[in-house]
Amino acid sequence: MIYDLLFRNVLKRMDPEFAHHAGMLVIRASGSAPIAPIVRSFTKPDPSLAVSTLGLTFPTPFGIAAGFDKNAVGVRGLEALGFGHVEIGTVTAIPQPGNPKPRLFRLVADRGLVNRMGFNNRGAAAAARRIARLRRGGAVVGANIGKSRVVDVDNAIPDYVTSARALAPLADYLAVNVSSPNTPGLRGLQAVETLRPLLEAVRAAAGSTPLLVKIAPDLPDEEVTAIARMAVDIGLDGLIATNTTISREGLKTSAAEVEEMGAGGVSGPPVKVRSLEVLTLVRAEVPDPEFCVISVGGVETAADVRERLDAGATLVQGYTGFIYRGPLWARQINRALA
Ligand SMILES: Cc1cc2nc3c(=O)[nH]c(=O)nc-3n(C[C@H](O)[C@H](O)[C@H](O)COP(=O)(O)O)c2cc1C
């Protein structure tokens, strides 16, 4: 309610990336030593929500998706706000500034976002140092890795392996991101014949750390099922579906406004239907509950989370809903789920 007013009157007028950084300051403060225990006492998920998967215990099935905390600076705060896991990154082997600004836009009428951030991050070694310093025990920390922009797609494997080696010993799980629309050529790595050697190499580099692959909603159904089958074949522990979409179909925001924003991935409710479809396809292909399927895309309410769990998701993530619902989002979802 209060956040709604704040969003409509203040935040909506701010540059979205500036608002993100301002929000991150509040989140980091929520996770700081004197404040975190107080915040946590209001937000701690009910013990009945705990989920065991990947050999780990998640305090709630609901977590924050990759891209929100690219450099692992807000993990404690996000945990204090009630997220059961934080997927940091996308992290690349070589630090990089990302695309020129502006690169993040609101589709207010759709409660969505368009982004072409381009993996702005401080690099795998820096992320590893941050994770190493975290006092652990609450939220699960996953590390999402992607290809460095300056590295040619043909040399993607050693680049991903560098990030995997840096982060696997520290993260609770690793996610291979081959589905961002904002790194040229990246999504081409989803073709099964290129994806298999990449995932096999990362699998070897990750050792015993659980490994998942994150896929795009824009893949045809046959490719979704082929990737799911291959993931099982080479011993991956799970799959994350989905990233943002390059589609601009069915948006309420005017075509002219959308056009002006330019290239990027759409997130939030516009990706909801396809995200659920992809989850259903993956679960039909791999019914084994030991295979962890993380559903993400257009989840905003506890009913949305419940729908994904009922459709076979092991865990559920969200990002865009946080922008529209505010800091109590995870708490509200956890309360309603319990
Ligand atoms: C601004 C922004 C940045 C993102 N950055 C990443 C990223 O670095 N890596 C990644 O795998 N997904 C990234 N995503 C995609 C989200 O993790 C998620 O898959 C997608 O937004 C769909 O979920 P949502 O509808 O709840 O936002 C990003 C999304 C947004 C909105």
Side-chain angles (χ1 to χ4, degrees):
M1 185 66 181
I2 296 168
Y3 183 81
D4 235 30
L5 280 173
L6 182 72
F7 182 83
R8 268 185 280 132
N9 296 301
V10 184
L11 296 175
K12 210 175 84 173
R13 295 173 218 277
M14 277 162 71
D15 167 70
E17 196 169 339
F18 179 80
H20 177 84
H21 291 304
M24 197 50 120
L25 290 178
V26 177
I27 290 163
R28 291 178 75 164
S30 309
S32 63
I35 301 172
I38 305 165
V39 178
R40 217 173 274 136
S41 67
F42 288 102
T43 58
K44 205 169 165 34
D46 191 272
S48 67
L49 295 180
V51 175
S52 297
T53 182
L54 306 173
L56 303 160
T57 302
F58 292 69
T60 153
F62 190 57
I64 184 90
F68 191 88
D69 186 6
K70 294 198 186 252
N71 296 303
V73 295
V75 173
R76 284 198 190 116
L78 291 161
E79 174 193 15
L81 290 173
F83 292 99
H85 66 284
V86 179
E87 191 170 306
I88 67 114
T90 293
V91 168
T92 54
I94 304 168
Q96 56 184 43
N99 285 321
K101 296 175 188 173
R103 54 193 179 178
L104 177 60
F105 309 87
R106 297 186 193 94
L107 298 167
V108 177
D110 296 284
R111 297 178 76 79
L113 296 170
V114 172
N115 93 82
R116 54 169 171 279
M117 304 300 290
F119 296 165
N120 52 306
N121 81 102
R122 295 179 202 143
R129 284 194 297 274
R130 298 271 338 164
I131 300 177
R133 263 191 266 141
L134 289 170
R135 190 176 39 78
R136 305 295 292 283
V140 168
V141 180
N144 177 307
I145 59 173
K147 186 186 75 68
S148 307
R149 190 171 189 113
V150 294
V151 170
D152 199 75
V153 185
D154 296 336
N155 298 320
I157 293 180
D159 188 62
Y160 275 93
V161 165
T162 301
S163 295
R165 287 215 179 104
L167 289 157
L170 297 157
D172 292 317
Y173 72 82
L174 280 188
V176 174
N177 181 8
V178 280
S179 47
S180 164
N182 304 312
T183 295
L186 192 86
R187 288 176 313 142
L189 293 171
Q190 291 176 118
V192 173
E193 59 279 13
T194 20
L195 190 54
R196 180 185 279 269
L198 168 64
L199 293 178
E200 281 171 341
V202 176
R203 171 77 286 174
S208 59
T209 304
L211 183 65
L212 297 87
V213 60
K214 182 166 178 180
I215 62 170
D218 307 310
L219 292 168
D221 292 0
E222 318 77 71
E223 287 184 35
V224 171
T225 43
I227 292 172
R229 212 174 311 129
M230 186 257 286
V232 174
D233 218 36
I234 63 174
L236 255 60
D237 301 280
L239 185 149
I240 307 174
T242 66
N243 215 308
T244 55
T245 178
I246 55 166
S247 164
R248 298 292 188 268
E249 256 169 62
L251 297 178
K252 297 184 185 107
T253 308
S254 78
E257 262 182 274
V258 175
E259 169 90 27
E260 207 183 321
M261 291 170 192
V266 172
S267 58
V271 79
K272 183 176 177 176
V273 170
R274 182 61 186 160
S275 173
L276 180 57
E277 274 173 12
V278 174
L279 163 65
T280 309
L281 283 167
V282 171
R283 220 12 134 194
E285 191 61 34
V286 193
D288 180 1
E290 290 282 300
F291 187 78
C292 175
V293 184
I294 305 183
S295 185
V296 49
V299 168
E300 208 182 307
T301 65
D304 296 334
V305 175
R306 175 53 56 203
E307 184 179 35
R308 303 300 168 101
L309 296 173
D310 290 345
T314 321
L315 300 166
V316 180
Q317 297 178 338
Y319 181 145
T320 303
F322 204 16
I323 311 304
Y324 290 92
R325 295 265 170 168
L328 298 179
W329 188 41
R331 175 184 186 267
Q332 285 159 356
I333 286 186
N334 290 333
R335 290 268 154 130
L337 283 178

